[in-house]
Amino acid sequence: MNKKLRNLSEEEIDQLVIAHADDDSAWGKPVRVRRSKSSAVSLPAELASRAAFSAGLHRQTSAQERHHLMSLTDLWQNSREQLLNKQLQQIIAFAGEGKLRDGSIASTEFREFLSHVSSNVLCNYAEDCLSNAFTDSGLALQDIVNQAGRRLNFQVEDGRYQGSKINIGYDGLWRFPSGHSVVVEVKTTDAYRIDSNKIAEYRKKLITVEKIEEEHSSILIVVGRQDTGDLEAQIRGSQHAWDIRLISVDALLRLMLLKEAVDDPKIIGRICDILIPREFTRLDSIIEIVFSTTEEAKQETELAEAEIDETDLEPQERISKAAQPVAFHDACVERFAKQQNVVLVKRSRTSYTTPDNKIAVVCLVSKAHKRQNHTAYWFGFHPYQKEFLEKAEASFLVLGCGSQNDVLSIPFSDLRNWLDDLWITERNETMYWHLNFLVEKGKLYLDRKKGKGRLDITHYRLPVNLS
């Protein structure tokens, strides 16, 4: 009677092979296998595009590094020019699974990526969504609009791409510094009728679960087209007219850029308040925004010029004293970012942070004032800039002296210790500290109150060869 053969374990098979490795009689004849024809594996177009792009990026890296695909944020930091040449649809294909879905890695990567790009790039991506519609363009536009909300200084909670029975279906929830909350709805077009009752129901549910308050909340509808006449009439005729504001994507992005062109928190607050429903029979508040934003830059220039003693200037300097103000903040910040190996995003005319807000920078610039025996630079440092730097884990004052080729990087912890020794000016309800710098024999000095002497700050200069 034949005995039933027992299946050997992998370990027993290994031991058997090792024991008979040198015994040719224990092995049968070799079997040769020949491939009859070549085979190919087809990939979806988006996956093939992503694989080709990653292969190009990793061509020079080690075998271990090739094994891991880089996130979109890593690609932005290491191969920015390659990403700038891509359409938004291609960029989304490089993120996670390549498709934007609720709770997906692709969504997380894409939102993180948007927090790193400049506001101008963000505007280009919005235009791409509206002009070159693709599969996920509406979902991408939703993320771009929410990123614009963050840059307008709101706390933003991203909504869902697709509605569900157990989740409230808003596109975004924005919380203002004042405590007001806005339920955001994003539409690529107003070609189809928008159900204002449905959007109002989102707000009602958020009030019920106590995420927002009825008296301090409203609705903001953001639409891709600027021609929104039909939609405006639809809203005016609804019972929710006093709770809804309507704005185009283009106007929202211009509001974001306007906010980044000013510094004063009061002005920024007025800009953001436009998004809250108000009765505008009286136009004073709108006029105040227009006036104050244009006045701020003019006032800063006048302050800078007022602090320079004209009698001590060279003749040609007196003639050009009323020249256009200098503005090379971004170039100075870019040099600092490269030295620190970080990405910095503009928050206002002079303030920048990393996307996670852990590092903060205030950047001030001054033209060179040629005096009879030395060169001078003047900067005005304001209390709201001090408050901005105090909120971050690490913060710096970056100063451009004449151009982006001469940049100082001063840790705020050092600057704070100097403030009591600096001159102060108070005028028209504003106050600022004077930062007067003098260049003598190649060294840079901070001029302080009498009795304090000059402080050598040459060592704060960024390396000249830093590109």
Side-chain angles (χ1 to χ4, degrees):
M1 187 174 179
N2 293 332
K3 292 183 179 180
K4 188 176 181 180
L5 295 177
R6 175 174 69 86
N7 290 331
L8 299 177
S9 67
E10 289 186 5
E11 184 177 355
E12 289 173 327
I13 293 172
D14 289 341
Q15 291 175 351
L16 189 62
V17 169
I18 294 171
H20 295 85
D22 297 325
D23 184 6
D24 291 337
S25 65
W27 299 89
K29 293 182 180 180
V31 178
R32 302 185 183 278
V33 179
R34 180 180 299 173
R35 186 172 60 184
S36 59
K37 59 181 180 178
S38 61
S39 59
V41 179
S42 62
L43 295 175
E46 289 181 350
L47 183 57
S49 174
R50 186 181 182 199
F53 181 73
S54 297
L57 291 173
H58 294 277
R59 193 170 291 118
Q60 302 299 324
T61 60
S62 67
Q64 183 179 5
E65 289 172 324
R66 288 192 193 101
H67 183 69
H68 300 284
L69 291 176
M70 301 170 74
S71 70
L72 272 181
T73 301
D74 292 332
L75 295 178
W76 179 254
Q77 291 177 301
N78 295 286
S79 306
R80 185 171 303 184
E81 291 303 317
Q82 292 195 50
L83 281 184
L84 285 173
N85 294 328
K86 302 295 180 183
Q87 296 292 320
L88 187 60
Q89 184 178 11
Q90 293 174 299
I91 290 173
I92 293 172
F94 302 147
E97 310 89 337
K99 292 183 180 296
L100 298 179
R101 297 294 181 266
D102 287 312
S104 67
I105 297 174
S107 173
T108 301
E109 275 195 26
F110 182 61
R111 289 170 179 172
E112 175 69 14
F113 167 72
L114 292 179
S115 72
H116 282 67
V117 305
S118 70
S119 292
N120 287 330
V121 172
L122 199 68
C123 292
N124 292 338
Y125 289 158
E127 179 62 27
D128 205 5
C129 289
L130 297 172
S131 300
N132 306 298
F134 52 92
T135 303
D136 288 344
S137 57
L139 310 183
L141 185 65
Q142 178 178 319
D143 286 337
I144 290 169
V145 166
N146 279 327
Q147 179 58 217
R150 289 183 174 92
R151 300 194 184 198
L152 282 165
N153 206 31
F154 306 139
Q155 290 183 359
V156 175
E157 180 182 318
D158 293 295
R160 294 180 58 83
Y161 296 131
Q162 302 292 334
S164 70
K165 293 182 179 179
I166 60 174
N167 298 106
I168 304 174
Y170 55 86
D171 291 342
L173 181 59
W174 297 1
R175 302 184 189 279
F176 288 46
S178 64
H180 189 88
S181 298
V182 169
V183 181
V184 177
E185 182 75 9
V186 182
K187 298 293 182 184
T188 56
T189 177
D190 65 345
Y192 303 99
R193 187 172 183 84
I194 294 176
D195 188 350
S196 58
N197 290 325
K198 184 178 181 180
I199 303 172
E201 187 64 23
Y202 296 156
R203 175 173 173 247
K204 184 178 179 180
K205 288 180 178 179
L206 288 168
I207 293 169
T208 301
V209 297
E210 299 183 347
K211 289 195 73 170
I212 62 176
E213 299 176 11
E214 184 173 6
E215 293 183 359
H216 302 289
S217 63
S218 57
I219 296 167
L220 178 66
I221 300 176
V222 185
V223 294
R225 291 174 52 190
Q226 295 187 47
D227 180 13
T228 58
D230 292 343
L231 183 55
E232 291 174 53
Q234 179 185 331
I235 292 172
R236 281 196 298 269
S238 77
Q239 59 180 317
H240 310 293
W242 291 101
D243 298 322
I244 298 177
R245 268 285 206 222
L246 177 69
I247 191 170
S248 68
V249 171
D250 181 65
L252 179 69
L253 294 175
R254 280 190 289 161
L255 199 66
M256 174 189 71
L257 295 175
L258 177 62
K259 179 253 182 185
E260 293 175 3
V262 298
D263 248 354
D264 191 332
K266 293 179 181 178
I267 300 175
I268 292 174
R270 294 190 193 109
I271 291 172
C272 296
D273 282 349
I274 290 178
L275 301 178
I276 300 175
R278 298 187 189 280
E279 203 283 308
F280 275 120
T281 303
R282 183 172 177 175
L283 300 176
D284 293 41
S285 57
I286 295 180
I287 299 300
E288 179 63 25
I289 293 171
V290 175
F291 176 78
S292 56
T293 51
T294 56
E295 195 64 18
E296 186 189 74
K298 177 183 175 183
Q299 184 182 62
E300 194 68 23
T301 303
E302 290 175 347
L303 290 177
E305 300 296 356
E307 302 306 330
I308 303 299
D309 186 357
E310 189 171 328
T311 61
D312 197 26
L313 296 176
E314 294 285 4
Q316 63 269 27
E317 270 285 287
R318 297 174 196 169
I319 296 173
S320 62
K321 187 167 179 264
Q324 289 294 317
V326 291
F328 46 93
H329 302 77
D330 291 350
C332 295
V333 170
E334 185 66 24
R335 287 195 64 203
F336 171 83
K338 287 183 178 180
Q339 185 213 36
Q340 298 288 327
N341 193 30
V342 296
V343 172
L344 290 171
V345 179
K346 192 167 189 174
R347 303 303 184 190
S348 72
R349 185 169 60 88
T350 65
S351 63
Y352 304 74
T353 71
T354 50
D356 59 8
N357 294 313
K358 290 184 178 180
I359 299 177
V361 169
V362 165
C363 179
L364 307 176
V365 298
S366 169
K367 66 181 181 181
H369 298 277
K370 302 292 184 181
R371 296 190 174 182
Q372 295 177 2
N373 55 357
H374 59 261
T375 300
Y377 301 98
W378 180 88
F379 307 88
F381 184 65
H382 296 263
Y384 58 78
Q385 292 167 333
K386 175 176 176 287
E387 291 175 11
F388 175 78
L389 294 178
E390 287 173 333
K391 295 176 181 177
E393 293 180 10
S395 52
F396 299 84
L397 178 63
V398 172
L399 301 173
C401 300
S403 75
Q404 65 268 31
N405 298 321
D406 192 0
V407 178
L408 300 176
S409 169
I410 303 174
F412 178 65
S413 55
D414 291 349
L415 174 66
R416 183 163 40 199
N417 295 331
W418 304 343
L419 294 179
D420 289 341
D421 298 334
L422 303 179
W423 284 281
I424 292 176
T425 291
E426 296 182 79
R427 63 169 70 173
N428 299 329
E429 298 182 354
T430 62
M431 171 267 184
Y432 55 90
W433 290 274
H434 295 250
L435 290 168
N436 293 316
F437 292 169
L438 308 174
V439 180
E440 290 183 346
K441 297 181 180 180
K443 287 196 171 185
L444 195 60
Y445 298 92
L446 172 63
D447 203 7
R448 299 183 290 181
K449 293 177 181 177
K450 285 187 177 181
K452 298 295 182 179
R454 293 176 178 175
L455 181 66
D456 187 348
I457 56 172
T458 309
H459 60 285
Y460 291 108
R461 272 177 165 158
L462 293 184
V464 176
N465 60 350
L466 187 65
S467 59

